[in-house]
Amino acid sequence: MSTESVSDTSADQSALEAESEESATQSNNASRLEEEGDVAADYLEELLDIADIDGDIDIEVRNGRTYISIVSEEDDNDALQALVGRDGEVLEALQELARLAVLTSTESRSRLVLDITGYREERSVELHKIAQDAVAKAKETGEEVALAPMSAYERKIVHDAVADLGLASESEGEGANRHIVVSLAS
């Protein structure tokens, strides 16, 4: 057997081992995300029971995140709407509580996303419109456009939308005043 074929075999073996490790990591990651979803769903289900609120909990794992949705068969469920709160403030707080429940149970931080009655999907459409308007204004005036403060999750959606439209954006400010500035510079 020549030296070339031995080193080729060794390289092939290394590639197979790397693929196997990557596959195991993805599998472990998927099971970790599923566990996050189960822990958070149990926590939220208990919360709904205590508050005597009807809602169905759906868990989905996609793009390296756990997405939990609470929906109702009733079109106008005021109790679930109250869990969204004004501008999604209660929803954000519940998401943080669900993340803390996961942290307590699994000892690992979670990036799970909680949605109630489709609020985040509706808000995403609004945020894309806000990004389009800001991009149009920046192109028209040639000046930076500062947007209203928003949560980190909402800022991420706007940053991605602005980038897709070919402009630059950055977050400025701190805490509750953190906001996005859209500019022509890229």
Side-chain angles (χ1 to χ4, degrees), residues 6-176:
V6 170
S7 64
D8 287 349
T9 303
S10 181
D12 290 345
Q13 183 69 25
S14 295
L16 285 173
E17 288 173 4
E19 276 182 36
S20 178
E21 286 178 26
E22 184 177 326
S23 178
T25 300
Q26 288 175 349
S27 177
N28 288 340
N29 192 35
S31 64
R32 182 184 59 79
L33 293 173
E34 289 170 5
E35 180 184 9
E36 277 184 16
D38 291 339
V39 169
D42 289 345
Y43 174 81
L44 293 165
E45 188 172 349
E46 192 171 321
L47 183 106
L48 291 174
D49 287 345
I50 290 169
D52 196 28
I53 298 173
D54 291 327
D56 297 323
I57 299 175
D58 296 325
I59 305 170
E60 182 182 354
V61 174
R62 65 181 180 333
N63 301 327
R65 275 197 176 182
T66 303
Y67 290 83
I68 299 177
S69 300
I70 302 176
V71 295
S72 174
E73 291 179 11
E74 302 169 26
D75 288 337
D76 189 27
N77 190 327
D78 291 337
L80 280 182
Q81 288 297 331
L83 292 180
V84 172
R86 192 177 116 244
D87 297 328
E89 290 175 344
V90 177
L91 173 60
E92 290 290 334
L94 288 173
Q95 178 175 278
E96 287 307 309
L97 289 172
R99 286 177 174 178
L100 285 172
V102 170
L103 177 63
T104 301
S105 178
T106 66
E107 297 183 357
S108 72
R109 292 183 46 84
S110 171
R111 296 180 340 133
L112 73 84
V113 176
L114 175 63
D115 191 12
I116 300 176
T117 67
Y119 172 81
R120 289 208 192 271
E121 190 171 324
E122 292 171 15
R123 181 69 175 144
S124 179
V125 171
E126 293 172 13
L127 292 169
H128 278 86
K129 175 74 171 113
I130 289 169
Q132 290 170 345
D133 292 346
V135 164
K137 185 173 181 181
K139 285 180 177 178
E140 181 181 312
T141 65
E143 296 180 10
E144 293 182 341
V145 177
L147 303 178
M150 54 186 76
S151 71
Y153 182 79
E154 291 179 338
R155 287 194 311 273
K156 169 82 170 101
I157 292 170
V158 173
H159 282 304
D160 290 348
V162 168
D164 289 345
L165 294 168
L167 264 64
S169 62
E170 63 181 310
S171 293
E172 293 183 356
E174 293 185 21

